[in-house]
Amino acid sequence: QVQLVESGGGLVQAGGSLRLSCAASGRTFSTYAMGWFRQAPGKEREFVAAISRSGSDTNYADFVKGRLTISRDNAKNTVYLQMNNLKPEDTAVYYCAAAPLGVASGNRNYYHHWGQGTQVTVSS
């Protein structure tokens, strides 16, 4: 079992940056692939980015277009999402999630553990 706690969300102007963090409990963090998902009001939760358990492979949604970078530090049991050049359409609650996989999957169904989410609001 792994518990996840996100932080780093907030209000930022368009073009600005934020760095989200997700701290995981337990000793098995390095056995999980990690992902970030987001959910805007009235929309389905969608995949943003994922990273393999070793950190060697990453996977991004098409809309990321080089603006977001996922990384992890297994020694600190933490996964990060660096978000640059933010746009108003990036406004959403961002969730981190853990999947008992080695690969960086974008399939939400593989992710068994979820954090509570952190709000990101981008003003125009």
mmCIF file of all heavy atoms in Angstrom, residues 48-103:
data_model
loop_
_atom_site.group_PDB
_atom_site.id
_atom_site.type_symbol
_atom_site.label_atom_id
_atom_site.label_comp_id
_atom_site.label_asym_id
_atom_site.label_seq_id
_atom_site.Cartn_x
_atom_site.Cartn_y
_atom_site.Cartn_z
ATOM 1 N N VAL A 48 -1.748 13.140 -18.003
ATOM 2 C CA VAL A 48 -0.828 14.241 -18.272
ATOM 3 C C VAL A 48 0.577 13.704 -18.574
ATOM 4 O O VAL A 48 1.145 13.990 -19.624
ATOM 5 C CB VAL A 48 -0.768 15.215 -17.079
ATOM 6 C CG1 VAL A 48 0.273 16.306 -17.332
ATOM 7 C CG2 VAL A 48 -2.141 15.814 -16.812
ATOM 8 N N ALA A 49 1.132 12.933 -17.637
ATOM 9 C CA ALA A 49 2.497 12.439 -17.802
ATOM 10 C C ALA A 49 2.708 11.234 -16.901
ATOM 11 O O ALA A 49 2.021 11.082 -15.887
ATOM 12 C CB ALA A 49 3.506 13.536 -17.451
ATOM 13 N N ALA A 50 3.666 10.394 -17.267
ATOM 14 C CA ALA A 50 4.009 9.225 -16.462
ATOM 15 C C ALA A 50 5.501 8.976 -16.548
ATOM 16 O O ALA A 50 6.169 9.391 -17.503
ATOM 17 C CB ALA A 50 3.236 7.993 -16.931
ATOM 18 N N ILE A 51 6.007 8.283 -15.536
ATOM 19 C CA ILE A 51 7.426 7.952 -15.482
ATOM 20 C C ILE A 51 7.564 6.525 -14.972
ATOM 21 O O ILE A 51 6.829 6.095 -14.078
ATOM 22 C CB ILE A 51 8.182 8.968 -14.598
ATOM 23 C CG1 ILE A 51 9.692 8.774 -14.697
ATOM 24 C CG2 ILE A 51 7.694 8.924 -13.150
ATOM 25 C CD1 ILE A 51 10.480 9.943 -14.120
ATOM 26 N N SER A 52 8.496 5.800 -15.565
ATOM 27 C CA SER A 52 8.717 4.414 -15.164
ATOM 28 C C SER A 52 9.303 4.355 -13.761
ATOM 29 O O SER A 52 9.785 5.363 -13.230
ATOM 30 C CB SER A 52 9.652 3.728 -16.157
ATOM 31 O OG SER A 52 10.922 4.359 -16.158
ATOM 32 N N ARG A 53 9.301 3.183 -13.177
ATOM 33 C CA ARG A 53 9.742 3.083 -11.788
ATOM 34 C C ARG A 53 11.222 3.389 -11.628
ATOM 35 O O ARG A 53 11.643 3.855 -10.567
ATOM 36 C CB ARG A 53 9.415 1.709 -11.214
ATOM 37 C CG ARG A 53 10.015 0.538 -11.950
ATOM 38 C CD ARG A 53 9.426 -0.762 -11.398
ATOM 39 N NE ARG A 53 9.937 -1.943 -12.068
ATOM 40 C CZ ARG A 53 9.413 -3.144 -11.926
ATOM 41 N NH1 ARG A 53 8.374 -3.324 -11.127
ATOM 42 N NH2 ARG A 53 9.920 -4.172 -12.566
ATOM 43 N N SER A 54 11.996 3.175 -12.665
ATOM 44 C CA SER A 54 13.417 3.512 -12.598
ATOM 45 C C SER A 54 13.679 4.972 -12.945
ATOM 46 O O SER A 54 14.765 5.495 -12.671
ATOM 47 C CB SER A 54 14.216 2.625 -13.556
ATOM 48 O OG SER A 54 13.910 2.977 -14.898
ATOM 49 N N GLY A 55 12.716 5.599 -13.581
ATOM 50 C CA GLY A 55 12.883 6.978 -14.038
ATOM 51 C C GLY A 55 13.491 7.106 -15.411
ATOM 52 O O GLY A 55 13.677 8.223 -15.907
ATOM 53 N N SER A 56 13.786 5.990 -16.046
ATOM 54 C CA SER A 56 14.478 6.036 -17.327
ATOM 55 C C SER A 56 13.543 6.335 -18.496
ATOM 56 O O SER A 56 14.004 6.788 -19.552
ATOM 57 C CB SER A 56 15.207 4.712 -17.583
ATOM 58 O OG SER A 56 14.278 3.645 -17.613
ATOM 59 N N ASP A 57 12.267 6.058 -18.325
ATOM 60 C CA ASP A 57 11.300 6.283 -19.410
ATOM 61 C C ASP A 57 10.188 7.218 -18.947
ATOM 62 O O ASP A 57 9.723 7.113 -17.805
ATOM 63 C CB ASP A 57 10.687 4.966 -19.872
ATOM 64 C CG ASP A 57 11.715 4.049 -20.501
ATOM 65 O OD1 ASP A 57 12.514 4.542 -21.317
ATOM 66 O OD2 ASP A 57 11.721 2.857 -20.163
ATOM 67 N N THR A 58 9.760 8.073 -19.852
ATOM 68 C CA THR A 58 8.652 8.974 -19.577
ATOM 69 C C THR A 58 7.642 8.920 -20.719
ATOM 70 O O THR A 58 7.959 8.478 -21.831
ATOM 71 C CB THR A 58 9.128 10.426 -19.393
ATOM 72 O OG1 THR A 58 9.857 10.830 -20.554
ATOM 73 C CG2 THR A 58 9.994 10.566 -18.162
ATOM 74 N N ASN A 59 6.458 9.382 -20.425
ATOM 75 C CA ASN A 59 5.366 9.353 -21.387
ATOM 76 C C ASN A 59 4.530 10.598 -21.137
ATOM 77 O O ASN A 59 4.231 10.915 -19.976
ATOM 78 C CB ASN A 59 4.547 8.068 -21.177
ATOM 79 C CG ASN A 59 3.418 7.902 -22.162
ATOM 80 O OD1 ASN A 59 3.343 8.598 -23.170
ATOM 81 N ND2 ASN A 59 2.525 6.968 -21.888
ATOM 82 N N TYR A 60 4.154 11.310 -22.200
ATOM 83 C CA TYR A 60 3.416 12.560 -22.049
ATOM 84 C C TYR A 60 2.181 12.572 -22.941
ATOM 85 O O TYR A 60 2.184 12.015 -24.046
ATOM 86 C CB TYR A 60 4.301 13.757 -22.429
ATOM 87 C CG TYR A 60 5.462 13.986 -21.494
ATOM 88 C CD1 TYR A 60 6.725 13.479 -21.794
ATOM 89 C CD2 TYR A 60 5.302 14.701 -20.316
ATOM 90 C CE1 TYR A 60 7.795 13.685 -20.944
ATOM 91 C CE2 TYR A 60 6.371 14.917 -19.461
ATOM 92 C CZ TYR A 60 7.609 14.396 -19.779
ATOM 93 O OH TYR A 60 8.667 14.606 -18.913
ATOM 94 N N ALA A 61 1.166 13.263 -22.476
ATOM 95 C CA ALA A 61 0.003 13.527 -23.315
ATOM 96 C C ALA A 61 0.405 14.487 -24.437
ATOM 97 O O ALA A 61 1.342 15.276 -24.287
ATOM 98 C CB ALA A 61 -1.119 14.139 -22.488
ATOM 99 N N ASP A 62 -0.310 14.399 -25.531
ATOM 100 C CA ASP A 62 0.036 15.233 -26.698
ATOM 101 C C ASP A 62 -0.029 16.716 -26.390
ATOM 102 O O ASP A 62 0.775 17.506 -26.914
ATOM 103 C CB ASP A 62 -0.906 14.909 -27.861
ATOM 104 C CG ASP A 62 -0.651 13.534 -28.455
ATOM 105 O OD1 ASP A 62 0.446 12.983 -28.214
ATOM 106 O OD2 ASP A 62 -1.539 13.020 -29.145
ATOM 107 N N PHE A 63 -0.937 17.125 -25.529
ATOM 108 C CA PHE A 63 -1.113 18.557 -25.292
ATOM 109 C C PHE A 63 0.042 19.155 -24.480
ATOM 110 O O PHE A 63 0.160 20.362 -24.359
ATOM 111 C CB PHE A 63 -2.436 18.843 -24.573
ATOM 112 C CG PHE A 63 -2.547 18.234 -23.201
ATOM 113 C CD1 PHE A 63 -1.928 18.815 -22.110
ATOM 114 C CD2 PHE A 63 -3.294 17.075 -22.999
ATOM 115 C CE1 PHE A 63 -2.035 18.252 -20.846
ATOM 116 C CE2 PHE A 63 -3.412 16.510 -21.749
ATOM 117 C CZ PHE A 63 -2.776 17.094 -20.664
ATOM 118 N N VAL A 64 0.892 18.305 -23.898
ATOM 119 C CA VAL A 64 2.014 18.805 -23.104
ATOM 120 C C VAL A 64 2.977 19.613 -23.960
ATOM 121 O O VAL A 64 3.440 20.678 -23.555
ATOM 122 C CB VAL A 64 2.739 17.625 -22.425
ATOM 123 C CG1 VAL A 64 4.049 18.080 -21.826
ATOM 124 C CG2 VAL A 64 1.839 17.011 -21.369
ATOM 125 N N LYS A 65 3.306 19.093 -25.134
ATOM 126 C CA LYS A 65 4.113 19.796 -26.136
ATOM 127 C C LYS A 65 5.372 20.436 -25.566
ATOM 128 O O LYS A 65 5.684 21.582 -25.827
ATOM 129 C CB LYS A 65 3.269 20.845 -26.854
ATOM 130 C CG LYS A 65 2.137 20.245 -27.657
ATOM 131 C CD LYS A 65 1.320 21.305 -28.376
ATOM 132 C CE LYS A 65 0.192 20.685 -29.183
ATOM 133 N NZ LYS A 65 -0.635 21.696 -29.860
ATOM 134 N N GLY A 66 6.072 19.709 -24.721
ATOM 135 C CA GLY A 66 7.340 20.180 -24.203
ATOM 136 C C GLY A 66 7.253 21.165 -23.055
ATOM 137 O O GLY A 66 8.272 21.641 -22.564
ATOM 138 N N ARG A 67 6.051 21.494 -22.610
ATOM 139 C CA ARG A 67 5.900 22.473 -21.529
ATOM 140 C C ARG A 67 6.031 21.848 -20.152
ATOM 141 O O ARG A 67 6.319 22.551 -19.177
ATOM 142 C CB ARG A 67 4.532 23.144 -21.641
ATOM 143 C CG ARG A 67 4.313 23.897 -22.950
ATOM 144 C CD ARG A 67 2.972 24.618 -22.944
ATOM 145 N NE ARG A 67 1.855 23.688 -22.826
ATOM 146 C CZ ARG A 67 0.985 23.687 -21.823
ATOM 147 N NH1 ARG A 67 1.095 24.559 -20.838
ATOM 148 N NH2 ARG A 67 -0.016 22.806 -21.808
ATOM 149 N N LEU A 68 5.770 20.550 -20.033
ATOM 150 C CA LEU A 68 5.770 19.878 -18.741
ATOM 151 C C LEU A 68 6.847 18.802 -18.706
ATOM 152 O O LEU A 68 7.107 18.154 -19.733
ATOM 153 C CB LEU A 68 4.395 19.230 -18.483
ATOM 154 C CG LEU A 68 3.257 20.109 -17.959
ATOM 155 C CD1 LEU A 68 2.915 21.234 -18.916
ATOM 156 C CD2 LEU A 68 2.038 19.269 -17.674
ATOM 157 N N THR A 69 7.437 18.621 -17.538
ATOM 158 C CA THR A 69 8.459 17.601 -17.353
ATOM 159 C C THR A 69 8.192 16.837 -16.076
ATOM 160 O O THR A 69 8.064 17.437 -15.003
ATOM 161 C CB THR A 69 9.858 18.218 -17.285
ATOM 162 O OG1 THR A 69 10.111 18.988 -18.472
ATOM 163 C CG2 THR A 69 10.916 17.131 -17.158
ATOM 164 N N ILE A 70 8.118 15.516 -16.190
ATOM 165 C CA ILE A 70 7.944 14.652 -15.017
ATOM 166 C C ILE A 70 9.307 14.095 -14.622
ATOM 167 O O ILE A 70 10.138 13.763 -15.486
ATOM 168 C CB ILE A 70 6.927 13.527 -15.295
ATOM 169 C CG1 ILE A 70 6.601 12.764 -14.008
ATOM 170 C CG2 ILE A 70 7.407 12.584 -16.399
ATOM 171 C CD1 ILE A 70 5.442 11.780 -14.152
ATOM 172 N N SER A 71 9.534 13.991 -13.334
ATOM 173 C CA SER A 71 10.773 13.406 -12.823
ATOM 174 C C SER A 71 10.484 12.757 -11.484
ATOM 175 O O SER A 71 9.422 12.972 -10.903
ATOM 176 C CB SER A 71 11.869 14.469 -12.691
ATOM 177 O OG SER A 71 11.482 15.472 -11.769
ATOM 178 N N ARG A 72 11.422 11.974 -11.003
ATOM 179 C CA ARG A 72 11.235 11.328 -9.703
ATOM 180 C C ARG A 72 12.574 11.206 -9.002
ATOM 181 O O ARG A 72 13.626 11.132 -9.649
ATOM 182 C CB ARG A 72 10.567 9.955 -9.856
ATOM 183 C CG ARG A 72 11.417 8.910 -10.549
ATOM 184 C CD ARG A 72 10.604 7.639 -10.828
ATOM 185 N NE ARG A 72 10.165 6.988 -9.606
ATOM 186 C CZ ARG A 72 9.172 6.083 -9.552
ATOM 187 N NH1 ARG A 72 8.533 5.755 -10.665
ATOM 188 N NH2 ARG A 72 8.840 5.527 -8.409
ATOM 189 N N ASP A 73 12.483 11.158 -7.685
ATOM 190 C CA ASP A 73 13.646 10.931 -6.837
ATOM 191 C C ASP A 73 13.283 9.773 -5.921
ATOM 192 O O ASP A 73 12.570 9.959 -4.927
ATOM 193 C CB ASP A 73 13.984 12.189 -6.043
ATOM 194 C CG ASP A 73 15.261 12.061 -5.250
ATOM 195 O OD1 ASP A 73 15.673 10.919 -4.958
ATOM 196 O OD2 ASP A 73 15.840 13.102 -4.895
ATOM 197 N N ASN A 74 13.741 8.588 -6.245
ATOM 198 C CA ASN A 74 13.372 7.405 -5.463
ATOM 199 C C ASN A 74 13.966 7.438 -4.056
ATOM 200 O O ASN A 74 13.405 6.837 -3.141
ATOM 201 C CB ASN A 74 13.793 6.138 -6.200
ATOM 202 C CG ASN A 74 12.886 5.833 -7.378
ATOM 203 O OD1 ASN A 74 11.803 6.412 -7.515
ATOM 204 N ND2 ASN A 74 13.323 4.937 -8.257
ATOM 205 N N ALA A 75 15.049 8.137 -3.869
ATOM 206 C CA ALA A 75 15.632 8.251 -2.531
ATOM 207 C C ALA A 75 14.745 9.102 -1.619
ATOM 208 O O ALA A 75 14.758 8.934 -0.396
ATOM 209 C CB ALA A 75 17.022 8.858 -2.614
ATOM 210 N N LYS A 76 13.981 10.003 -2.222
ATOM 211 C CA LYS A 76 13.089 10.874 -1.454
ATOM 212 C C LYS A 76 11.622 10.464 -1.563
ATOM 213 O O LYS A 76 10.747 11.152 -1.040
ATOM 214 C CB LYS A 76 13.247 12.323 -1.922
ATOM 215 C CG LYS A 76 14.615 12.915 -1.665
ATOM 216 C CD LYS A 76 14.679 14.369 -2.098
ATOM 217 C CE LYS A 76 16.046 14.968 -1.791
ATOM 218 N NZ LYS A 76 16.135 16.399 -2.213
ATOM 219 N N ASN A 77 11.363 9.362 -2.265
ATOM 220 C CA ASN A 77 9.976 8.893 -2.446
ATOM 221 C C ASN A 77 9.081 9.999 -3.005
ATOM 222 O O ASN A 77 7.945 10.196 -2.546
ATOM 223 C CB ASN A 77 9.390 8.387 -1.120
ATOM 224 C CG ASN A 77 9.871 6.995 -0.770
ATOM 225 O OD1 ASN A 77 10.801 6.467 -1.391
ATOM 226 N ND2 ASN A 77 9.274 6.404 0.243
ATOM 227 N N THR A 78 9.580 10.721 -3.980
ATOM 228 C CA THR A 78 8.858 11.873 -4.493
ATOM 229 C C THR A 78 8.885 11.898 -6.018
ATOM 230 O O THR A 78 9.911 11.587 -6.637
ATOM 231 C CB THR A 78 9.456 13.181 -3.947
ATOM 232 O OG1 THR A 78 9.421 13.148 -2.519
ATOM 233 C CG2 THR A 78 8.652 14.387 -4.412
ATOM 234 N N VAL A 79 7.759 12.289 -6.595
ATOM 235 C CA VAL A 79 7.658 12.516 -8.022
ATOM 236 C C VAL A 79 7.261 13.979 -8.231
ATOM 237 O O VAL A 79 6.538 14.552 -7.428
ATOM 238 C CB VAL A 79 6.662 11.550 -8.691
ATOM 239 C CG1 VAL A 79 5.261 11.740 -8.149
ATOM 240 C CG2 VAL A 79 6.675 11.698 -10.204
ATOM 241 N N TYR A 80 7.785 14.567 -9.308
ATOM 242 C CA TYR A 80 7.589 15.983 -9.581
ATOM 243 C C TYR A 80 6.952 16.188 -10.953
ATOM 244 O O TYR A 80 7.110 15.364 -11.854
ATOM 245 C CB TYR A 80 8.931 16.720 -9.557
ATOM 246 C CG TYR A 80 9.720 16.525 -8.287
ATOM 247 C CD1 TYR A 80 10.726 15.558 -8.216
ATOM 248 C CD2 TYR A 80 9.472 17.297 -7.159
ATOM 249 C CE1 TYR A 80 11.460 15.374 -7.058
ATOM 250 C CE2 TYR A 80 10.204 17.119 -5.993
ATOM 251 C CZ TYR A 80 11.188 16.152 -5.949
ATOM 252 O OH TYR A 80 11.908 15.964 -4.790
ATOM 253 N N LEU A 81 6.280 17.316 -11.083
ATOM 254 C CA LEU A 81 5.802 17.748 -12.382
ATOM 255 C C LEU A 81 6.138 19.227 -12.526
ATOM 256 O O LEU A 81 5.531 20.078 -11.869
ATOM 257 C CB LEU A 81 4.297 17.537 -12.531
ATOM 258 C CG LEU A 81 3.726 17.856 -13.919
ATOM 259 C CD1 LEU A 81 4.272 16.859 -14.960
ATOM 260 C CD2 LEU A 81 2.204 17.828 -13.917
ATOM 261 N N GLN A 82 7.134 19.518 -13.349
ATOM 262 C CA GLN A 82 7.514 20.896 -13.634
ATOM 263 C C GLN A 82 6.660 21.386 -14.780
ATOM 264 O O GLN A 82 6.653 20.772 -15.863
ATOM 265 C CB GLN A 82 8.995 20.975 -14.003
ATOM 266 C CG GLN A 82 9.470 22.372 -14.382
ATOM 267 C CD GLN A 82 9.446 23.333 -13.224
ATOM 268 O OE1 GLN A 82 9.856 23.003 -12.121
ATOM 269 N NE2 GLN A 82 8.945 24.550 -13.471
ATOM 270 N N MET A 83 5.938 22.477 -14.550
ATOM 271 C CA MET A 83 5.025 22.995 -15.561
ATOM 272 C C MET A 83 5.447 24.411 -15.945
ATOM 273 O O MET A 83 5.471 25.302 -15.094
ATOM 274 C CB MET A 83 3.596 22.991 -15.033
ATOM 275 C CG MET A 83 3.135 21.618 -14.570
ATOM 276 S SD MET A 83 1.371 21.559 -14.226
ATOM 277 C CE MET A 83 1.274 22.655 -12.832
ATOM 278 N N ASN A 84 5.779 24.596 -17.203
ATOM 279 C CA ASN A 84 6.214 25.895 -17.714
ATOM 280 C C ASN A 84 5.240 26.405 -18.773
ATOM 281 O O ASN A 84 4.486 25.628 -19.356
ATOM 282 C CB ASN A 84 7.617 25.780 -18.327
ATOM 283 C CG ASN A 84 8.648 25.343 -17.320
ATOM 284 O OD1 ASN A 84 8.591 25.699 -16.138
ATOM 285 N ND2 ASN A 84 9.628 24.564 -17.773
ATOM 286 N N ASN A 85 5.289 27.701 -19.004
ATOM 287 C CA ASN A 85 4.442 28.332 -20.023
ATOM 288 C C ASN A 85 2.982 27.891 -19.851
ATOM 289 O O ASN A 85 2.337 27.431 -20.804
ATOM 290 C CB ASN A 85 4.952 27.985 -21.416
ATOM 291 C CG ASN A 85 4.281 28.797 -22.507
ATOM 292 O OD1 ASN A 85 3.740 29.875 -22.251
ATOM 293 N ND2 ASN A 85 4.302 28.285 -23.728
ATOM 294 N N LEU A 86 2.489 28.036 -18.643
ATOM 295 C CA LEU A 86 1.138 27.569 -18.344
ATOM 296 C C LEU A 86 0.093 28.403 -19.074
ATOM 297 O O LEU A 86 0.277 29.604 -19.324
ATOM 298 C CB LEU A 86 0.892 27.621 -16.838
ATOM 299 C CG LEU A 86 1.559 26.484 -16.069
ATOM 300 C CD1 LEU A 86 1.660 26.811 -14.591
ATOM 301 C CD2 LEU A 86 0.793 25.181 -16.286
ATOM 302 N N LYS A 87 -1.002 27.727 -19.409
ATOM 303 C CA LYS A 87 -2.101 28.348 -20.146
ATOM 304 C C LYS A 87 -3.386 28.234 -19.321
ATOM 305 O O LYS A 87 -3.511 27.335 -18.484
ATOM 306 C CB LYS A 87 -2.286 27.623 -21.480
ATOM 307 C CG LYS A 87 -1.036 27.594 -22.347
ATOM 308 C CD LYS A 87 -1.253 26.766 -23.596
ATOM 309 C CE LYS A 87 0.010 26.718 -24.451
ATOM 310 N NZ LYS A 87 -0.186 25.925 -25.683
ATOM 311 N N PRO A 88 -4.348 29.105 -19.560
ATOM 312 C CA PRO A 88 -5.617 29.007 -18.808
ATOM 313 C C PRO A 88 -6.271 27.635 -18.935
ATOM 314 O O PRO A 88 -6.893 27.167 -17.972
ATOM 315 C CB PRO A 88 -6.472 30.101 -19.458
ATOM 316 C CG PRO A 88 -5.487 31.121 -19.911
ATOM 317 C CD PRO A 88 -4.298 30.327 -20.385
ATOM 318 N N GLU A 89 -6.101 26.977 -20.062
ATOM 319 C CA GLU A 89 -6.691 25.649 -20.234
ATOM 320 C C GLU A 89 -6.001 24.569 -19.422
ATOM 321 O O GLU A 89 -6.459 23.433 -19.377
ATOM 322 C CB GLU A 89 -6.723 25.253 -21.721
ATOM 323 C CG GLU A 89 -5.400 25.374 -22.429
ATOM 324 C CD GLU A 89 -5.256 26.680 -23.193
ATOM 325 O OE1 GLU A 89 -5.662 27.741 -22.651
ATOM 326 O OE2 GLU A 89 -4.718 26.643 -24.322
ATOM 327 N N ASP A 90 -4.898 24.910 -18.762
ATOM 328 C CA ASP A 90 -4.250 23.976 -17.853
ATOM 329 C C ASP A 90 -4.901 23.989 -16.465
ATOM 330 O O ASP A 90 -4.530 23.182 -15.600
ATOM 331 C CB ASP A 90 -2.764 24.318 -17.691
ATOM 332 C CG ASP A 90 -1.973 24.096 -18.975
ATOM 333 O OD1 ASP A 90 -2.198 23.075 -19.646
ATOM 334 O OD2 ASP A 90 -1.113 24.953 -19.291
ATOM 335 N N THR A 91 -5.840 24.881 -16.253
ATOM 336 C CA THR A 91 -6.533 24.954 -14.975
ATOM 337 C C THR A 91 -7.275 23.649 -14.693
ATOM 338 O O THR A 91 -8.074 23.187 -15.499
ATOM 339 C CB THR A 91 -7.520 26.129 -14.962
ATOM 340 O OG1 THR A 91 -6.781 27.353 -15.062
ATOM 341 C CG2 THR A 91 -8.350 26.128 -13.693
ATOM 342 N N ALA A 92 -6.977 23.042 -13.545
ATOM 343 C CA ALA A 92 -7.549 21.745 -13.187
ATOM 344 C C ALA A 92 -7.043 21.345 -11.815
ATOM 345 O O ALA A 92 -6.119 21.973 -11.270
ATOM 346 C CB ALA A 92 -7.162 20.677 -14.215
ATOM 347 N N VAL A 93 -7.636 20.305 -11.278
ATOM 348 C CA VAL A 93 -7.057 19.628 -10.116
ATOM 349 C C VAL A 93 -6.099 18.569 -10.653
ATOM 350 O O VAL A 93 -6.479 17.769 -11.520
ATOM 351 C CB VAL A 93 -8.143 18.974 -9.240
ATOM 352 C CG1 VAL A 93 -7.490 18.224 -8.075
ATOM 353 C CG2 VAL A 93 -9.107 20.027 -8.714
ATOM 354 N N TYR A 94 -4.881 18.591 -10.158
ATOM 355 C CA TYR A 94 -3.853 17.655 -10.604
ATOM 356 C C TYR A 94 -3.667 16.575 -9.556
ATOM 357 O O TYR A 94 -3.481 16.871 -8.374
ATOM 358 C CB TYR A 94 -2.547 18.397 -10.860
ATOM 359 C CG TYR A 94 -2.570 19.171 -12.164
ATOM 360 C CD1 TYR A 94 -3.341 20.320 -12.299
ATOM 361 C CD2 TYR A 94 -1.843 18.742 -13.269
ATOM 362 C CE1 TYR A 94 -3.385 21.024 -13.497
ATOM 363 C CE2 TYR A 94 -1.874 19.440 -14.467
ATOM 364 C CZ TYR A 94 -2.654 20.572 -14.572
ATOM 365 O OH TYR A 94 -2.700 21.258 -15.763
ATOM 366 N N TYR A 95 -3.690 15.326 -10.029
ATOM 367 C CA TYR A 95 -3.559 14.165 -9.158
ATOM 368 C C TYR A 95 -2.311 13.378 -9.525
ATOM 369 O O TYR A 95 -2.029 13.177 -10.709
ATOM 370 C CB TYR A 95 -4.759 13.236 -9.330
ATOM 371 C CG TYR A 95 -6.093 13.839 -8.973
ATOM 372 C CD1 TYR A 95 -6.854 14.502 -9.926
ATOM 373 C CD2 TYR A 95 -6.605 13.724 -7.679
ATOM 374 C CE1 TYR A 95 -8.092 15.047 -9.611
ATOM 375 C CE2 TYR A 95 -7.836 14.259 -7.347
ATOM 376 C CZ TYR A 95 -8.574 14.921 -8.319
ATOM 377 O OH TYR A 95 -9.797 15.455 -7.991
ATOM 378 N N CYS A 96 -1.611 12.906 -8.521
ATOM 379 C CA CYS A 96 -0.581 11.917 -8.814
ATOM 380 C C CYS A 96 -1.131 10.545 -8.464
ATOM 381 O O CYS A 96 -2.066 10.410 -7.663
ATOM 382 C CB CYS A 96 0.727 12.205 -8.086
ATOM 383 S SG CYS A 96 0.746 11.823 -6.344
ATOM 384 N N ALA A 97 -0.573 9.548 -9.102
ATOM 385 C CA ALA A 97 -1.067 8.188 -8.954
ATOM 386 C C ALA A 97 0.082 7.208 -9.118
ATOM 387 O O ALA A 97 1.070 7.504 -9.790
ATOM 388 C CB ALA A 97 -2.157 7.909 -9.983
ATOM 389 N N ALA A 98 -0.093 6.029 -8.516
ATOM 390 C CA ALA A 98 0.930 4.986 -8.552
ATOM 391 C C ALA A 98 0.356 3.722 -9.174
ATOM 392 O O ALA A 98 -0.769 3.323 -8.853
ATOM 393 C CB ALA A 98 1.438 4.700 -7.150
ATOM 394 N N ALA A 99 1.143 3.120 -10.062
ATOM 395 C CA ALA A 99 0.744 1.883 -10.736
ATOM 396 C C ALA A 99 1.798 0.814 -10.474
ATOM 397 O O ALA A 99 2.994 1.089 -10.597
ATOM 398 C CB ALA A 99 0.615 2.119 -12.229
ATOM 399 N N PRO A 100 1.368 -0.410 -10.163
ATOM 400 C CA PRO A 100 2.327 -1.501 -9.912
ATOM 401 C C PRO A 100 2.906 -2.039 -11.217
ATOM 402 O O PRO A 100 2.741 -3.205 -11.576
ATOM 403 C CB PRO A 100 1.481 -2.540 -9.189
ATOM 404 C CG PRO A 100 0.104 -2.332 -9.719
ATOM 405 C CD PRO A 100 -0.020 -0.854 -9.949
ATOM 406 N N LEU A 101 3.560 -1.151 -11.941
ATOM 407 C CA LEU A 101 4.124 -1.466 -13.245
ATOM 408 C C LEU A 101 5.553 -0.963 -13.310
ATOM 409 O O LEU A 101 5.955 -0.115 -12.523
ATOM 410 C CB LEU A 101 3.343 -0.755 -14.366
ATOM 411 C CG LEU A 101 1.872 -1.065 -14.560
ATOM 412 C CD1 LEU A 101 1.300 -0.108 -15.594
ATOM 413 C CD2 LEU A 101 1.691 -2.498 -15.009
ATOM 414 N N GLY A 102 6.289 -1.475 -14.306
ATOM 415 C CA GLY A 102 7.612 -0.935 -14.548
ATOM 416 C C GLY A 102 7.605 0.176 -15.572
ATOM 417 O O GLY A 102 8.459 1.063 -15.544
ATOM 418 N N VAL A 103 6.600 0.170 -16.460
ATOM 419 C CA VAL A 103 6.597 1.103 -17.581
ATOM 420 C C VAL A 103 5.767 2.343 -17.270
ATOM 421 O O VAL A 103 4.937 2.339 -16.369
ATOM 422 C CB VAL A 103 6.056 0.417 -18.855
ATOM 423 C CG1 VAL A 103 6.966 -0.728 -19.248
ATOM 424 C CG2 VAL A 103 4.627 -0.058 -18.659
#
